[in-house]
Amino acid sequence: MSDLVETRALGVRDLIRLCDVLRPSEDPALAYGRAIGLLKGMTGARLAPTYLLDSTESELILVGDGERALLPPGFDSMPAAMHVRSPWVNDAEWPVSARPHVGSPAWNLLPEDFRAWFGPSGIVVSLHANSRHLGAVLLAFDGERSLDARTADFLAGVGRVFGHFLEAHRIRARERELGCLDERRRLGDELHADLSQDVAAVGLALGALRLDIGAGDREALEEDVARMGVLVDTVQGELRGHMLGLRQEADIADSGLLEQARRHLDQFTSRTDIPVTLEAHGPDRSVPLAVASQMAHVLQEALNNVAVHARARQVGVVLDIASTRVRMEIRDDGCGFDPEQVTESRLGLLIMRERLAQIDGSLDVSTAEGGGTVVRAEAPTHPVPMLGVRS
């Protein structure tokens, strides 16, 4: 068949199928690769590599590995100046067919090896999001193909759908990066404050040690040495905790809140032999890193409280992620507590409330019906506006 539209009548239903494949909760590379495979099947394209502009807009970078093996060597990137110009990647969102331009000065200026695999039947599908040009999908075909008005409309929609998906992924990646930096700053502030107090305590202990050495008081010296040992153990423990905190941020960025919660629960069960159940709803990849980090820390603190105070036989955790909020409930069947008799510092409530306050969240701790304790943490999942930030 000589005409693209004769191979497949493309329209709104096909765009919906592509949208369904591009699920934000899944790994973006896998989702985008499936969408490209589906687009190739719809259009009959032999190749469909995606090239995105880098941050300097001087290079077009090939994304994903799906088409890399099918392209000739040397096409991992291309100079933008050669391709980002009329008619190949235009300022509008409409696709461009190579066929009307074959033999023109613009076509002849393109590198010969590019023309060889793109071919005279190739189509450039421009990718757009938020009034910003991102790059293009280059559809290459075997044999004769042409671009009619209906197919052009469809491919213009593809450019918008793919463009918004890729831009949302870029924003989430940038948000995770900034979230890691914010958490590192917070951990650094805590580390500085904790170490300042510990160093002051060590200084006082050394002063007492010198006085007791001068007095020749052996019993007091033994107490001084024991006190120094406790202080050193405290400093080591705090440093270890902060290092684990930094590691946790990297783990959450890679695997998400749900996987981090599973790790905390596995460690808790291994340490205490208390069985734990986990019930999770919603896509944890939609939770911004700053929120996921604090919720993971709250879970860790709540489990520590159970291990130390609750005398529980089992623990249940529910993680509910909606489009606007994330809710977490930790319920144990232990001895419960009297809020008037238990200080915040003992339960770590102050720490948990401070963490949630940083993400506009809230904490509620109550006695469970029939005994035990219920800790409920809730925070908004709306991302920080970052549309103006370029990667």
Side-chain angles (χ1 to χ4, degrees), residues 333-352:
D333 64 349
C335 59
F337 74 104
D338 182 350
E340 296 183 359
Q341 299 297 320
V342 178
T343 63
E344 287 200 340
S345 59
R346 180 189 165 196
L347 281 179
L349 298 181
L350 183 60
I351 294 173
M352 289 190 281

Side-chain angles (χ1 to χ4, degrees), residues 357-370:
Q358 294 179 26
I359 53 174
D360 297 325
S362 61
L363 181 77
D364 177 72
V365 182
S366 60
T367 300
E369 185 178 349

Side-chain angles (χ1 to χ4, degrees), residues 39-62:
L39 178 64
K40 289 169 68 175
M42 291 174 174
T43 61
R46 170 175 51 88
L47 293 172
T50 297
Y51 285 89
L52 298 182
L53 285 167
D54 68 1
S55 59
T56 66
E57 300 191 355
S58 62
E59 287 285 320
L60 287 162
I61 308 298
L62 177 64

Side-chain angles (χ1 to χ4, degrees), residues 72-114:
F75 280 95
D76 287 350
S77 66
M78 297 187 292
M82 182 61 69
H83 300 273
V84 183
R85 55 182 174 76
S86 179
W88 308 112
V89 177
N90 53 11
D91 293 332
E93 60 184 17
W94 297 101
V96 175
S97 173
R99 175 62 61 192
H101 306 284
V102 172
S104 69
W107 172 261
N108 291 331
L109 283 173
L110 292 169
E112 185 176 351
D113 52 356
F114 173 81

Side-chain angles (χ1 to χ4, degrees), residues 168 171-172 175-176 286-291 323-324 380-387:
I171 290 172
R172 285 194 297 270
E175 183 182 288
R176 287 197 297 271
S286 66
V287 181
L289 178 61
V291 176
S323 59
T324 59
T381 58
H382 55 266
V384 177
M386 295 179 57
L387 296 181

Side-chain angles (χ1 to χ4, degrees), residues 202 227-238:
V202 170
R227 189 179 303 113
M228 291 287 291
V230 171
L231 288 171
V232 169
D233 289 342
T234 299
V235 172
Q236 289 178 335
E238 288 175 350

Side-chain angles (χ1 to χ4, degrees), residues 157-207:
V158 170
R160 292 194 294 273
V161 169
F162 283 17
H164 281 282
F165 175 81
L166 292 167
E167 179 72 349
H169 171 56
R170 184 194 69 82
I171 290 172
R172 285 194 297 270
R174 182 64 172 156
E175 183 182 288
R176 287 197 297 271
E177 177 186 341
L178 292 179
C180 278
L181 291 175
D182 287 341
E183 182 62 10
R184 278 161 172 75
R185 289 192 199 100
R186 188 194 59 75
L187 286 169
D189 291 342
E190 289 183 4
L191 179 62
H192 181 268
D194 292 342
L195 285 180
S196 296
Q197 295 174 2
D198 293 336
V199 169
V202 170
L204 291 173
L206 283 172

